[in-house]
Amino acid sequence: MLEKQQRETTWMRPPDGGPPKEVPADPAQLVPLMVAGWSQCEPPQQPDREEEN
Amino acid sequence: MANIRELLIGFGKKKQADISTANVTSDIWRLNKLNVQLANPKFMAEDDAAELGKGHEFATQLFKSHVDSAAHQLEKYLSSEFAAWLWAFGLGKVVKTGAGPYTYTCTPLNPVTDGLELPYFSYIEQIRPGAARVLDRMLVGCAVKSWKINITKGVGRANAKATVEFTHSGAITDPSGITLPAATAENLLNAYSAAITILGVDYVSLKNFESLEMGWDNAFREGFFPGSGQQDGFQIQGRLEVGDRVPLFNFVARFVNGSTELQKMRDLTTGTAVVTLTKDANNSLSVTWQQVGFSVVEVGETDGIVTVSVTGKPQYNATNGVVSAVCVTPVDGIAQ
């Protein structure tokens, strides 16, 4: 399921350096973002959960 | 004596870190090509013939100048692997998705946000590499200046071909130090699989398509600047920047009762042009020219059949830009 999810989405970062956004890996959605200056990026790091005592 | 058919070529499947950092062996793939021309770097010298004080008009000595930026050609049958490379390196912007096969969605650089430099690659030529080498050199800092894809009627691999012209910074590693891998087995995208719809007309269903030529010229700006660098005392280019880019989209189709090309030209009709070549689910190329009009339409003949020759004018669409390509191939890491 996780693998399927990874295949179907990717992460894109806006040109203004704002937070990345997960978008469907669909050219119809990717192309307007790419034209607008968005670039592919790594998924953001998930913050580590503090262990409860 | 060496036979030109011994020539091996390899080039960066992955992009260089920057214009001066060569690809390493693991970045390189080896593909065959069709054209016999070698990618000769042209070292240029100048002389003192025009200088005063010598008493005559003749040269008395030579001076090292620069490495000329002449474009080198790479001609190939179209495959899904090479198509992905061509579009990614030729347009500059790529998003890779999938876990095998991989989908590369490619668009031209947005100069405002992406800068003016395309991804760079190294290009290797070898004839009998090793101790008895005839030729073994690596051109570092190459970028795709222009490319064309031709799809024509007829049989065999030649009905879908790609030609790439690339420009070289001038930096050379000789010998290359690269051991080329085995040639990549390519998945050909022959024209028999074509789907072609232009401004709403499905030319494949009508069975009247003759040929198509599409391409792109990055019109590089010269990259010699103070501090651009040198190779053995000859100045090299420190950047290869896109200039006023020129898209190309022309086609020829049979002209029959009901053909709309002439009327569309007079009406200045625009629309999308979508060209798709498919081998199977793992190998395909789909190109979308986002807004095309016809600038010249001429009725003539091809092999005795009345045809219409259309010079397309790709335009910039505010949402989707000029052109995009979706390339599906089993090869990972292209232009990454």
Side-chain angles (χ1 to χ4, degrees):
Chain A
M1 185 65 183
L2 179 62
E3 191 183 341
K4 190 176 178 215
Q5 227 173 13
Q6 286 170 341
R7 273 204 304 268
E8 293 175 346
T9 65
T10 190
W11 286 85
M12 300 289 286
R13 182 181 295 282
D16 62 7
K21 179 182 169 186
E22 190 174 18
V23 298
D26 170 17
Q29 300 206 36
L30 288 174
V31 168
L33 292 176
M34 294 167 75
V35 169
W38 291 58
S39 299
Q40 191 172 27
C41 64
E42 295 293 324
Q45 297 281 342
Q46 295 293 333
D48 293 334
R49 286 187 180 174
E50 288 183 22
E51 288 184 16
E52 293 179 5
N53 290 326
Chain B
M1 187 187 77
N3 189 318
I4 192 65
R5 289 182 176 81
E6 296 178 62
L7 176 68
L8 307 176
I9 64 161
F11 46 96
K13 178 184 74 176
K14 296 183 179 178
K15 63 182 179 182
Q16 294 183 182
D18 54 51
I19 192 170
S20 58
T21 306
N23 284 125
V24 296
T25 297
S26 59
D27 296 344
I28 303 286
W29 63 354
R30 181 179 141 201
L31 302 170
N32 295 334
K33 68 165 189 167
L34 296 171
N35 59 308
V36 297
Q37 294 89 354
L38 297 171
N40 283 309
K42 289 172 66 180
F43 287 81
M44 307 298 287
E46 61 183 60
D47 61 45
D48 63 350
E51 289 183 30
L52 305 184
K54 306 192 301 322
H56 54 76
E57 70 275 35
F58 304 109
T60 61
Q61 59 178 317
L62 291 171
F63 301 90
K64 293 181 178 180
S65 177
H66 64 286
V67 184
D68 188 85
S69 60
H72 310 296
Q73 202 172 78
L74 184 55
E75 187 180 321
K76 285 184 58 57
Y77 297 126
L78 192 62
S79 65
S80 71
E81 292 81 3
F82 190 64
W85 184 91
L86 180 160
W87 284 92
F89 279 89
L91 293 187
K93 188 148 190 170
V94 58
V95 169
K96 187 195 81 168
T97 55
Y102 302 91
T103 299
Y104 298 87
T105 303
C106 307
T107 61
L109 291 176
N110 177 335
V112 175
T113 57
D114 304 322
L116 297 174
E117 291 181 84
L118 295 167
Y120 295 104
F121 61 94
S122 304
Y123 185 84
I124 295 114
E125 289 181 330
Q126 295 179 338
I127 298 176
R128 300 178 200 164
R133 68 190 167 99
V134 176
L135 191 68
D136 182 8
R137 62 190 178 197
M138 174 162 60
L139 281 56
V140 179
C142 301
V144 173
K145 178 191 174 293
S146 65
W147 56 263
K148 278 183 189 171
I149 291 176
N150 290 85
I151 298 170
T152 63
K153 66 178 183 181
V155 299
R157 297 175 294 171
N159 59 24
K161 286 170 68 174
T163 304
V164 170
E165 280 194 335
F166 63 92
T167 298
H168 168 219
S169 69
I172 295 165
T173 305
D174 187 356
S176 69
I178 299 288
T179 302
L180 289 178
T184 302
E186 296 182 67
N187 291 280
L188 295 168
L189 298 175
N190 289 352
Y192 65 73
S193 68
I196 302 168
T197 300
I198 303 168
L199 274 60
V201 176
D202 181 345
Y203 285 91
V204 172
S205 294
L206 295 172
K207 300 181 182 178
N208 63 4
F209 206 74
E210 293 281 324
S211 63
L212 167 73
E213 178 185 53
M214 57 182 169
W216 188 265
D217 188 345
N218 283 308
F220 284 144
R221 301 168 195 271
E222 197 171 78
F224 298 107
F225 57 88
S228 65
Q230 56 86 26
Q231 172 79 42
D232 303 327
F234 294 82
Q235 187 173 7
I236 63 174
Q237 299 184 83
R239 64 188 177 216
L240 296 171
E241 296 176 327
V242 301
D244 293 337
R245 295 164 289 179
V246 181
L248 175 76
F249 185 84
N250 302 327
F251 68 93
V252 177
R254 292 184 173 187
F255 191 72
V256 298
N257 177 37
S259 288
T260 57
E261 291 83 4
L262 279 171
Q263 192 59 48
K264 282 174 176 162
M265 193 275 153
R266 291 187 191 125
D267 294 343
L268 303 181
T269 304
T270 62
T272 59
V274 182
V275 180
T276 303
L277 297 168
T278 307
K279 180 192 176 192
D280 54 33
N282 297 336
N283 298 279
S284 63
L285 165 67
S286 183
V287 179
T288 302
W289 296 89
Q290 305 288 353
Q291 188 173 311
V292 176
F294 298 161
S295 60
V296 180
V297 175
E298 292 175 298
V299 177
E301 68 85 30
T302 305
D303 300 330
I305 300 293
V306 178
T307 54
V308 62
S309 173
V310 177
T311 302
K313 190 68 182 174
Q315 301 171 12
Y316 184 88
N317 177 276
T319 302
N320 292 314
V322 178
V323 65
S324 62
V326 180
C327 315
V328 179
T329 182
V331 176
D332 190 13
I334 295 173
Q336 301 298 299

